[in-house]
């Protein structure tokens, strides 16, 4: 019987919430028999833009001693928490996000410049109407 430390999906539509559990590898995520719950993970940012994680590290060490293997996503989360080495995918995601953030302001600036030049061209094309001619 191979054990896995994995996420068990709880919550509802558009509001996911995960328990970090120990269960058999081949069980379904919702209907599998959970051996023990060792933590929780809320992926939705709160008002301070934080994603909350709670893990009982003593239980985690106990189950790792019994031979339970964390899944890729749990290992990545534990790496960010400092329990495991940082997962290589974390570095890749950070690099992609950094490139996107650098590209985004440049795109916004180009759009603003295009809108300004378009507004200037529209103003030059239209003939101003004086208020004196319109009132007579």
């Amino acid at each position: 019987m191979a054990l896995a430390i994995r996420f068990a999906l709880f919550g509802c539509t558009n509001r996911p919430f995960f328990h970090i559990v120990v269960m058999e590898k081949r069980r379904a995520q919702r209907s599998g028999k959970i051996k023990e719950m060792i933590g929780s993970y809320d992926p939705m940012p709160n008002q301070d833009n934080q994603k909350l994680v709670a893990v009982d590290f003593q239980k985690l060490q106990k189950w790792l001693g019994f031979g339970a293997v964390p899944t890729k996503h749990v290992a990545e989360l534990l790496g960010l928490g400092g329990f495991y080495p940082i997962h290589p995918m974390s570095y890749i995601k950070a690099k992609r996000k950094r490139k996107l953030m650098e590209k985004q302001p440049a795109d916004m600036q180009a759009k603003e410049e295009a809108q300004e030049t378009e507004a200037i061209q529209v103003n030059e094309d239209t003939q101003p109407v004086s208020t004196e001619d319109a009132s007579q």
Side-chain angles (χ1 to χ4, degrees):
M1 170 173 70
L3 295 174
I5 300 172
R6 60 188 287 181
F7 289 127
L9 178 63
F10 286 84
C12 56
T13 306
N14 297 328
R15 187 65 182 94
F17 184 82
F18 298 95
H19 286 265
I20 302 171
V21 298
V22 177
M23 61 190 321
E24 292 181 31
K25 268 189 178 178
R26 301 290 179 211
R27 294 279 182 174
Q29 204 170 20
R30 283 187 185 259
S31 63
K33 191 171 185 180
I34 296 172
K35 302 281 184 188
E36 187 171 15
M37 187 186 95
I38 59 174
S40 63
Y41 171 58
D42 186 5
M44 300 292 288
N46 63 7
Q47 57 194 357
D48 297 326
N49 203 23
Q50 300 169 340
K51 297 178 181 182
L52 302 177
V53 179
V55 179
D56 186 347
F57 288 109
Q58 291 178 343
K59 289 181 182 180
L60 178 65
Q61 287 176 337
K62 177 183 88 170
W63 284 104
L64 288 173
F66 288 147
V69 179
T71 60
K72 177 184 142 191
H73 297 290
V74 173
E76 188 175 335
L77 188 66
L78 292 174
L80 291 173
F83 188 77
Y84 264 16
I86 295 180
H87 197 274
M89 197 64 198
S90 298
Y91 292 115
I92 294 170
K93 285 181 183 177
K95 187 175 181 181
R96 288 178 184 164
K97 191 171 184 177
R98 195 175 322 118
K99 281 185 179 179
L100 183 66
M101 296 300 275
E102 290 172 357
K103 184 180 177 184
Q104 207 170 25
D107 289 345
M108 294 291 269
Q109 191 175 24
K111 285 181 184 178
E112 288 175 5
E113 289 174 2
Q115 288 175 350
E116 288 174 8
T117 57
E118 187 177 300
I120 291 170
Q121 289 175 356
V122 169
N123 289 340
E124 291 174 355
D125 292 341
T126 59
Q127 297 279 335
V129 177
S130 67
T131 57
E132 296 172 6
D133 294 336
S135 63
Q136 292 177 359

